[in-house]
Amino acid sequence: MASSFGAAQVLVASNRGPVSYEVREDGSLHAKRGGGGLVSGLSAIGPDAGALWVCSALSDGDREAVRRGVGEDGVRMLDVPADVHADAYNGIANSVLWFVHHMLYQTPLEPVFDAEFRRQWASYEAYNRAFAEALAEEAAEGAVAIVQDYHLTLVPGMLRELRPDLRIGHFSHTPWAPLDYFRLLPDDIAEQVLRGMLGADRLGFLTRRWADAFTACCDAVVGGLGGTEIGVHGLGADGDFLRKRSHEADVEERMAELREQIGEGRRTIVRVDRTELSKNIVRGLLAYRELLAGRPEWRERVVHVAFAYPSRQDLAVYREYTAEVERVANAVNEEFGTPGWTPVVLNLKDDFARSLAAYRLADVALVNPVRDGMNLVAKEVPVVSDAGCALVLSREAGAYEELGEDAVVVNPYDVVGTADALHAALGLPAGDRAERSKRLAAAGTALPPARWFLEQLEALRG
Amino acid sequence: MASSFGAAQVLVASNRGPVSYEVREDGSLHAKRGGGGLVSGLSAIGPDAGALWVCSALSDGDREAVRRGVGEDGVRMLDVPADVHADAYNGIANSVLWFVHHMLYQTPLEPVFDAEFRRQWASYEAYNRAFAEALAEEAAEGAVAIVQDYHLTLVPGMLRELRPDLRIGHFSHTPWAPLDYFRLLPDDIAEQVLRGMLGADRLGFLTRRWADAFTACCDAVVGGLGGTEIGVHGLGADGDFLRKRSHEADVEERMAELREQIGEGRRTIVRVDRTELSKNIVRGLLAYRELLAGRPEWRERVVHVAFAYPSRQDLAVYREYTAEVERVANAVNEEFGTPGWTPVVLNLKDDFARSLAAYRLADVALVNPVRDGMNLVAKEVPVVSDAGCALVLSREAGAYEELGEDAVVVNPYDVVGTADALHAALGLPAGDRAERSKRLAAAGTALPPARWFLEQLEALRG
């Protein structure tokens, strides 16, 4: 296979691939291409470079495509059985590892690591093994393999055993838990996760803080990092793409609609998130409520535009969280709304063009997660906002390391403090706000996806 | 005032004092004396030594006693208004600081530090100030004041301002939160707590681990410990008292009753706790269920004696937890019980003599908290058990530092691992078990309450 990076072939492994399939009514398969950092990254090393992306079939359409031998050059989709994938992805990755790294459990009662957990863990191992075996099979001598995220923590170690000749990297897109929280995991599982990752030559994290937390876990649980290197690569927003995309016609249309909903001359506080437990949408609404209650001068003069897109709705706790978001938003509208003013414009339906429209109209961007690997919204809004926006930013978001200086920083649990921050952000003088927004945009686009990916490849090769 | 310790008068401050009052039907006040480490400690420095204990009125009877001027020598009870006390004690100490140090929150939705929290915090400050002012008023020149626990974190700093001449100590009976969790607290509050405690000359913790966690928080939040010393004093059980008390007639009676409930020739797994969210009673029951399901040879041959005494039943989350304990215990009895065998003997009514009876009958003691400052039950059962007991001990209990070597150690979240540990503990050869139990008893009584208290006094004076 042709090589793509220096002398070495490049392989990428991630749960979700760059393409998905749908079975149409006439039985034909329809392919849909996605975007994101890895797509930009791989395209940057050249389309004919022989790179390979190993990913999992996620839907019935995907599995059907694998069975029919339909596919794309440069993509190998693994036909992981639906039940194994559900255990590995929902059961372990999203309900255990995600919860540990984001510290989301109600610890008196959760997690319960019982026999059912052990059964699901076996599926997680099988799912990781499927990736390791596919990579081992596909990789040319001395190839570079970069494995993505908490779904695939065991792959580096498994792959190392099968193919000692490869250069193996792993990148974590999440935070890393502090030691006391990481050790919620059963001891053998905690060790397996760390040893799995340490099978890599090099591990990447989004910030120094998460890298240090990982190192502390290794020191305490497995006696250090061994020979594995640690690198920090703060994935940034794709400024060129965002600036272009946000001026297309569909975005302009959505802007007109949004302006109508907001009303003439009002300030906007914008947030756009998946309805994810860690995003802290409910406390954001409570802080906005506190702003309206404690500083009545803002009533009628501001609108909170909150887009909260469906996420992991197959997990009950996410459905309940979504319901709570709606309940609190409605309560604020009932308490403060007037015939001409709806204080909260909540929308739960995913619409990228409308998100960009909201970015452009944002006076204040609210990004207040309880814990977040990076948070790209914090980096995107300043790039796109027409008049420059103020950023209210949680110090628990990875983006804080790069953006903290020009943001209004909050403790995400502190609702009164967040209300004060919203007030301060709304009141920033226009000049100051525009200057900060410019610096935020520059910092937020300092390492766009393609460069972020190339940096890792270079470091792995060096 | 006569001095009691070297040249210095000794003062102690704690929320709960050594005596409480009840208004009888005829209007008279009835005094009830309590026990515990501080009572033993103060009695050790001599009854006529002029020591003073400052505590809060907790009940209507207590407040009535203060108003009537009824009291005891050596005790000053503060008439903190009931609503201020409720805010400080339930609202802040038990619902915020306790939850932070034990990592008990369901973080996506709790805590919410809103205007109501700020109001309660003002009560916590007032309650702490009442203690500081009383101590300042009562203390002789150069006296030693030892302040107890998370209820009174602000007292050392306040007292230092009022009385720079005093030697001030503070002792924490809880764990200390890891930095990432401690910083859930609003930033100004986190700083106030640390600076309040650092007003002391010396801070005591139950284990090195909690002391190190505190130091890490100070390093990150207030730039270090300043001149404050840190000491570790691992409070132990009062062996002499326990051995004597556990052979009194009422305990023998309870043993006969318990033997009846357990049945002839069966092993016993004993746990005794307050029904406290951190004690992990539910997962203990689930682990016992796992033992019976996975190793049927134990059915009919073992009984889990679980005493779970009411605690903080004025907080809804504690009432729900108690209900969950009952639900799971009943479910295990329904799944596995037979006409002649009740697998779980659950009792929710506090009875000290019956607890000691269970200790004496224990083959295995189960102490599996998710996080615990020390856990004295782990130290008490080996002292009292007639035949020597095996100890299944959480590595998240402070007692683990002293008892880990002779216990069967568990990760408290790992239900399968805990079931395995129960199996191993039940199967320990009698000789090995007796030897371990002897060493556990020796380690657990190495620093009895009186010595624990004197150690701190000596260190403060030195």
Side-chain angles (χ1 to χ4, degrees):
Chain A
M1 193 175 269
S3 84
S4 59
F5 188 77
Q9 179 206 18
V10 174
L11 299 102
V12 165
S14 67
N15 173 67
R16 183 177 301 278
V19 61
S20 63
Y21 298 92
E22 213 180 86
V23 186
R24 295 239 158 125
E25 272 187 30
D26 65 0
S28 68
L29 281 167
H30 174 70
K32 221 179 124 185
R33 261 151 222 86
L38 286 171
V39 172
S40 321
L42 276 178
S43 68
I45 60 173
D48 305 318
L52 183 74
W53 190 324
V54 178
C55 58
S56 176
L58 301 179
S59 63
D60 290 343
D62 289 353
R63 272 179 285 269
E64 189 56 28
V66 179
R67 275 162 213 158
R68 291 192 201 169
V70 173
E72 307 215 344
D73 278 354
V75 177
R76 174 161 168 190
M77 199 175 258
L78 303 177
D79 185 11
V80 180
D83 56 339
V84 172
H85 188 268
D87 284 347
Y89 182 76
N90 282 331
I92 300 297
N94 286 347
S95 298
V96 177
L97 299 177
W98 180 271
F99 272 60
V100 166
H101 290 312
H102 291 84
M103 306 201 303
L104 297 175
Y105 281 119
Q106 184 180 23
T107 51
L109 294 170
E110 315 157 342
V112 172
F113 295 121
D114 55 7
E116 168 66 7
F117 164 80
R118 291 281 163 180
R119 199 189 55 69
Q120 293 186 333
W121 185 258
S123 293
Y124 182 80
E125 291 176 312
Y127 160 83
N128 274 254
R129 187 161 299 282
F131 274 83
E133 285 171 354
L135 290 166
E137 199 179 299
E138 301 281 356
E141 178 73 23
V144 174
I146 302 195
V147 180
Q148 301 297 317
D149 231 358
Y150 61 103
H151 316 92
L152 301 176
T153 57
L154 307 182
V155 170
M158 291 171 169
L159 183 56
R160 169 71 60 218
E161 295 236 326
L162 296 168
R163 290 292 303 274
D165 61 299
L166 303 183
R167 292 289 292 171
I168 305 173
H170 181 281
F171 194 87
S172 291
H173 295 261
T174 62
W176 195 269
L179 177 62
D180 275 18
Y181 213 92
F182 182 71
R183 294 187 79 208
L184 265 63
L185 291 174
D187 299 13
D188 60 319
I189 304 290
E191 196 177 324
Q192 205 181 335
V193 166
L194 296 178
R195 289 201 194 280
M197 288 177 66
L198 292 176
D201 295 289
R202 193 164 184 285
L203 298 171
F205 293 91
L206 285 166
T207 69
R208 175 51 51 197
R209 180 179 177 194
W210 313 139
D212 289 347
F214 175 80
T215 303
C217 287
C218 288
D219 288 346
V221 177
V222 295
L225 297 172
T228 300
E229 265 177 56
I230 304 286
V232 173
H233 305 277
L235 177 63
D238 187 342
D240 296 339
F241 164 76
L242 285 170
R243 273 182 283 260
K244 183 160 168 293
R245 181 69 185 84
S246 64
H247 284 82
E248 288 177 11
D250 57 345
V251 176
E252 307 277 357
E253 260 171 52
R254 303 296 195 289
M255 283 176 75
E257 290 163 22
L258 268 175
R259 279 207 188 90
E260 189 85 9
Q261 287 182 280
I262 292 164
E264 198 68 45
R266 294 195 173 113
R267 308 279 178 95
T268 55
I269 299 170
V270 169
R271 78 174 305 142
V272 176
D273 302 279
R274 292 185 297 115
T275 313
E276 158 56 47
L277 301 181
S278 61
K279 297 294 181 185
N280 208 21
I281 304 167
V282 171
R283 286 192 195 82
L285 288 162
L286 294 175
Y288 180 63
R289 192 213 156 270
E290 183 68 34
L291 176 80
L292 298 179
R295 307 186 191 261
E297 66 267 29
W298 285 114
R299 295 182 199 169
E300 307 261 5
R301 291 181 48 218
V302 63
V303 169
H304 185 15
V305 177
F307 294 164
Y309 300 142
S311 181
R312 303 185 187 169
Q313 294 293 303
D314 36 0
L315 301 179
V317 60
Y318 280 75
R319 291 194 299 275
E320 287 157 22
Y321 187 74
T322 304
E324 183 67 7
V325 167
E326 283 193 271
R327 200 191 61 71
V328 177
N330 291 337
V332 174
N333 283 338
E334 256 174 51
E335 185 176 0
F336 296 100
T338 62
W341 173 55
T342 306
V344 182
V345 171
L346 177 72
N347 203 315
L348 302 179
K349 204 169 157 291
D350 196 352
D351 180 338
F352 184 56
R354 201 190 45 213
S355 296
L356 291 175
Y359 285 10
R360 284 188 58 187
L361 295 173
D363 293 303
V364 173
L366 174 56
V367 177
N368 66 327
V370 293
R371 203 170 166 91
D372 205 332
M374 175 52 78
N375 198 300
L376 282 178
V377 173
K379 294 184 164 182
E380 291 168 351
V381 190
V383 174
V384 172
S385 69
D386 280 351
C389 72
L391 174 64
V392 173
L393 179 62
S394 165
R395 63 154 146 79
E396 303 302 320
Y400 166 72
E401 270 185 27
E402 294 159 87
L403 307 183
E405 212 164 308
D406 285 302
V408 185
V409 176
V410 295
N411 168 342
Y413 299 94
D414 187 350
V415 163
V416 172
T418 304
D420 291 346
L422 290 173
H423 175 70
L426 286 166
L428 272 189
D432 188 12
R433 194 175 88 171
E435 282 303 311
R436 283 174 185 243
S437 188
K438 212 178 283 179
R439 288 193 297 265
L440 289 167
T445 55
L447 191 63
R451 285 247 303 281
W452 164 83
F453 186 74
L454 291 177
E455 249 192 29
Q456 293 175 66
L457 278 184
E458 273 162 33
L460 252 180
R461 208 176 44 156
Chain B
M1 193 175 271
S3 84
S4 61
F5 189 77
Q9 177 205 20
V10 174
L11 299 101
V12 165
S14 66
N15 174 66
R16 184 177 302 277
V19 61
S20 63
Y21 297 91
E22 211 180 271
V23 186
R24 294 242 159 123
E25 271 186 33
D26 65 0
S28 69
L29 281 168
H30 174 71
K32 220 179 124 185
R33 261 151 222 87
L38 286 171
V39 172
S40 321
L42 277 178
S43 68
I45 60 176
D48 304 318
L52 184 74
W53 191 326
V54 178
C55 57
S56 176
L58 302 179
S59 64
D60 290 343
D62 289 353
R63 273 179 285 270
E64 189 56 28
V66 179
R67 274 161 215 159
R68 291 192 201 168
V70 172
E72 308 215 344
D73 277 354
V75 177
R76 175 163 168 190
M77 200 176 259
L78 304 177
D79 185 11
V80 180
D83 57 338
V84 171
H85 188 267
D87 284 348
Y89 181 75
N90 282 330
I92 300 297
N94 286 347
S95 297
V96 177
L97 299 178
W98 180 271
F99 272 60
V100 166
H101 290 312
H102 291 83
M103 306 202 304
L104 296 175
Y105 282 120
Q106 183 181 24
T107 51
L109 293 170
E110 315 157 342
V112 171
F113 295 121
D114 55 9
E116 168 65 7
F117 164 81
R118 291 281 162 180
R119 198 189 55 67
Q120 293 186 333
W121 184 259
S123 293
Y124 183 80
E125 291 176 311
Y127 160 83
N128 273 255
R129 188 162 299 283
F131 275 83
E133 286 172 353
L135 290 165
E137 199 179 298
E138 300 282 354
E141 178 74 19
V144 174
I146 301 195
V147 180
Q148 301 297 314
D149 229 358
Y150 61 103
H151 316 93
L152 300 177
T153 58
L154 307 182
V155 170
M158 291 170 167
L159 182 57
R160 169 71 61 219
E161 294 236 326
L162 296 169
R163 289 292 303 274
D165 61 301
L166 303 184
R167 292 288 293 169
I168 305 172
H170 181 281
F171 194 87
S172 290
H173 294 261
T174 61
W176 195 268
L179 177 62
D180 275 19
Y181 213 94
F182 182 71
R183 295 188 79 209
L184 265 64
L185 291 173
D187 299 13
D188 59 319
I189 303 290
E191 196 176 326
Q192 205 181 335
V193 166
L194 296 178
R195 289 199 194 282
M197 287 177 67
L198 291 176
D201 295 289
R202 192 165 185 284
L203 298 172
F205 293 91
L206 285 166
T207 69
R208 175 50 50 197
R209 180 179 176 192
W210 313 139
D212 289 348
F214 176 80
T215 303
C217 287
C218 288
D219 288 347
V221 176
V222 296
L225 297 173
T228 300
E229 266 176 57
I230 304 286
V232 173
H233 305 278
L235 177 62
D238 188 341
D240 296 339
F241 165 77
L242 285 170
R243 272 182 285 260
K244 182 160 169 291
R245 180 68 186 85
S246 64
H247 284 82
E248 288 177 10
D250 57 346
V251 175
E252 306 277 358
E253 258 172 53
R254 303 296 195 289
M255 282 175 76
E257 290 164 22
L258 268 176
R259 279 207 187 90
E260 188 86 10
Q261 288 183 279
I262 292 163
E264 198 69 43
R266 294 194 172 113
R267 308 280 177 94
T268 54
I269 299 169
V270 168
R271 76 174 306 142
V272 175
D273 302 279
R274 292 185 297 114
T275 312
E276 158 56 47
L277 301 181
S278 61
K279 297 294 183 185
N280 209 20
I281 304 167
V282 171
R283 286 193 196 83
L285 289 163
L286 294 174
Y288 180 63
R289 192 213 157 271
E290 183 68 34
L291 175 79
L292 299 178
R295 307 188 192 260
E297 66 267 30
W298 286 114
R299 295 183 199 167
E300 307 261 7
R301 291 182 48 218
V302 64
V303 168
H304 184 16
V305 176
F307 294 164
Y309 301 142
S311 179
R312 303 185 186 169
Q313 294 293 303
D314 38 359
L315 300 178
V317 62
Y318 280 77
R319 291 195 299 275
E320 287 156 20
Y321 187 74
T322 303
E324 183 67 6
V325 167
E326 284 194 88
R327 199 190 61 71
V328 177
N330 290 337
V332 174
N333 282 338
E334 257 175 49
E335 186 177 357
F336 295 101
T338 63
W341 173 54
T342 305
V344 181
V345 171
L346 177 72
N347 204 315
L348 302 179
K349 203 168 156 291
D350 196 351
D351 179 339
F352 185 55
R354 201 188 45 214
S355 297
L356 291 176
Y359 286 8
R360 284 188 58 188
L361 294 173
D363 293 304
V364 172
L366 174 57
V367 177
N368 67 327
V370 294
R371 205 171 164 91
D372 204 331
M374 175 53 78
N375 198 299
L376 281 179
V377 173
K379 294 184 164 183
E380 292 168 352
V381 189
V383 173
V384 172
S385 69
D386 281 350
C389 73
L391 174 63
V392 172
L393 179 63
S394 166
R395 62 155 148 77
E396 303 302 320
Y400 166 72
E401 270 185 27
E402 293 159 87
L403 307 183
E405 213 164 308
D406 285 303
V408 184
V409 177
V410 295
N411 168 341
Y413 299 95
D414 187 351
V415 164
V416 172
T418 304
D420 291 345
L422 290 173
H423 176 68
L426 286 166
L428 272 189
D432 188 13
R433 195 175 87 172
E435 281 304 310
R436 282 173 186 244
S437 189
K438 211 177 284 178
R439 289 194 298 266
L440 288 166
T445 54
L447 191 63
R451 285 246 303 282
W452 165 82
F453 187 74
L454 291 177
E455 250 191 28
Q456 292 175 67
L457 278 183
E458 272 162 33
L460 253 180
R461 209 175 44 157

